[in-house]
Amino acid sequence: MTSQMTARHFRTLFISDVHLGSKAAQAELLVDFLRVHDAETIYLVGDIVDGWRLKRSWHWPQLHNDVVQKLLRKARKGSRIVYIPGNHDEFLRDFPGQHFGGVEVRQNDIHTTADGRKFLVMHGDEFDVVVRNARIIAYLGDWAYDAAIAINVIFNKARRRLGFPYWSFSSWAKLKVKNAVNFIGAFEKALAAEAERHGCDGVICGHIHHAEMRELNGVEYVNTGDWVESCTAVAERYDGTLELVRWADLMREEALRPKVTALPRPASGQRASERPAEAA
């Protein structure tokens, strides 16, 4: 799939939860997104590489290499790329301040927008009680999540064969589970409180695979979503405003947009009124 959309350039892009190394990663859609979108600074907000799954079984197709190469190419062309590790790529937390191919590793960061607001940028797993205090339970949950995503992959293959665009069954199902909704709410409040503790106007995070932009008690909570289920990112425009980019939705709109075919130009010396009429 190759997008024909006009290229878009932003001050900052925030991307998280790509999970390269897992079969569920929507690498093709991300490569397409990176072809169209560029920025002065790109934050990789954790779980870009899925070390947990790679330890269990190696899976690294060419498309996953393509994502890495796209990002490194942007770094070579002058984009500042900041990698903030998450729990699935926590091995990189041993290298704070290090640079790899133009990519800077940081535990977290404070980003100042063009209009002067300060955002704490972090993955967010530090505020997931299951990940922090019960790693075995977290791994079991990860396996269950794998099963849900596998269903999602099969579901979308069937949709493509029938001519329907991508839609996340797993994301929809997750939001129908009361406990999951309660967890998301508690997570959002904890991250907003942490931003306030750091004296920031807001927080930009990932981890829970639920894209959101909302205000909580005067603090802006921004979650970039993921590239497994929702295929979303957050972009900062040059005036400092933030935009939640839902790439799957944009691609669906692009696919449904009528294609306009230009009329042939009149031959030399032929008046416009003599052009052949457009077919009905």
Side-chain angles (χ1 to χ4, degrees):
M1 182 190 306
T2 302
S3 172
Q4 301 301 316
M5 294 176 63
T6 304
R8 306 179 74 196
H9 198 285
F10 292 96
R11 185 170 183 264
T12 318
L13 281 173
F14 302 86
I15 299 167
S16 77
D17 297 273
V18 180
H19 291 273
L20 297 175
S22 75
K23 294 180 180 179
Q26 299 285 348
E28 183 178 4
L29 286 173
L30 181 54
V31 167
D32 212 34
F33 173 86
L34 292 172
R35 285 194 187 105
V36 177
H37 295 79
D38 209 350
E40 294 177 2
T41 301
I42 300 175
Y43 278 96
L44 306 175
V45 195
D47 286 2
I48 304 303
V49 175
D50 198 324
W52 290 13
R53 287 176 177 83
L54 288 173
K55 284 181 181 178
R56 295 205 298 263
S57 62
W58 187 260
H59 176 75
W60 197 270
Q62 181 59 45
L63 274 170
H64 293 205
N65 266 341
D66 293 344
V67 171
V68 174
Q69 290 303 318
K70 278 283 182 187
L71 290 168
L72 293 177
R73 190 173 299 119
K74 289 181 183 298
R76 289 195 298 271
K77 289 183 177 180
S79 293
R80 176 184 177 231
I81 299 186
V82 181
Y83 195 135
I84 296 173
N87 50 306
H88 283 257
D89 45 19
E90 60 191 350
F91 58 90
L92 285 171
R93 286 176 170 161
D94 294 332
F95 304 98
Q98 299 295 312
H99 289 73
F100 300 95
V103 178
E104 178 186 359
V105 179
R106 299 181 67 91
Q107 296 284 13
N108 52 56
D109 201 16
I110 293 180
H111 174 73
T112 303
T113 59
D115 56 2
R117 291 173 297 156
K118 294 186 181 297
F119 281 84
L120 174 64
V121 185
M122 62 188 303
H123 182 62
D125 62 289
E126 302 92 328
F127 291 87
D128 183 337
V129 175
V130 172
V131 171
R132 289 182 64 191
N133 300 324
R135 180 56 63 89
I136 293 177
I137 295 175
Y139 276 119
L140 290 173
D142 194 49
W143 291 337
Y145 183 70
D146 278 351
I149 293 300
I151 293 172
N152 195 64
V153 170
I154 295 169
F155 176 76
N156 273 288
K157 281 183 179 178
R159 283 179 63 87
R160 279 197 298 273
R161 286 173 183 165
L162 294 171
F164 294 108
Y166 175 84
W167 181 71
S168 179
F169 166 79
S170 54
S171 181
W172 172 83
K174 180 170 64 178
L175 293 179
K176 296 298 180 182
V177 179
K178 183 179 179 181
N179 287 344
V181 174
N182 290 341
F183 167 76
I184 290 171
F187 179 86
E188 292 173 346
K189 290 176 183 176
L191 268 291
E194 181 68 4
E196 190 172 29
R197 191 176 72 80
H198 279 76
C200 293
D201 301 289
V203 61
I204 299 175
C205 61
H207 184 56
I208 60 172
H209 294 205
H210 180 64
E212 184 69 87
M213 291 178 62
R214 58 187 295 218
E215 186 176 302
L216 292 168
N217 300 320
V219 178
E220 294 184 65
Y221 169 86
V222 179
N223 195 299
T224 63
D226 66 282
W227 288 85
V228 172
E229 299 174 64
S230 56
C231 300
T232 53
V234 169
E236 179 199 355
R237 303 188 189 104
Y238 281 94
D239 63 358
T241 57
L242 298 179
E243 171 188 341
L244 179 58
V245 182
R246 297 186 180 275
W247 184 238
D249 291 350
L250 289 175
M251 294 295 285
R252 181 160 49 247
E253 291 171 9
E254 181 74 7
L256 295 175
R257 185 174 292 124
K259 300 296 184 290
V260 178
T261 303
L263 290 171
R265 298 183 65 178
S268 178
Q270 182 183 23
R271 294 192 302 273
S273 61
E274 296 174 346
R275 284 187 250 184
E278 183 181 4

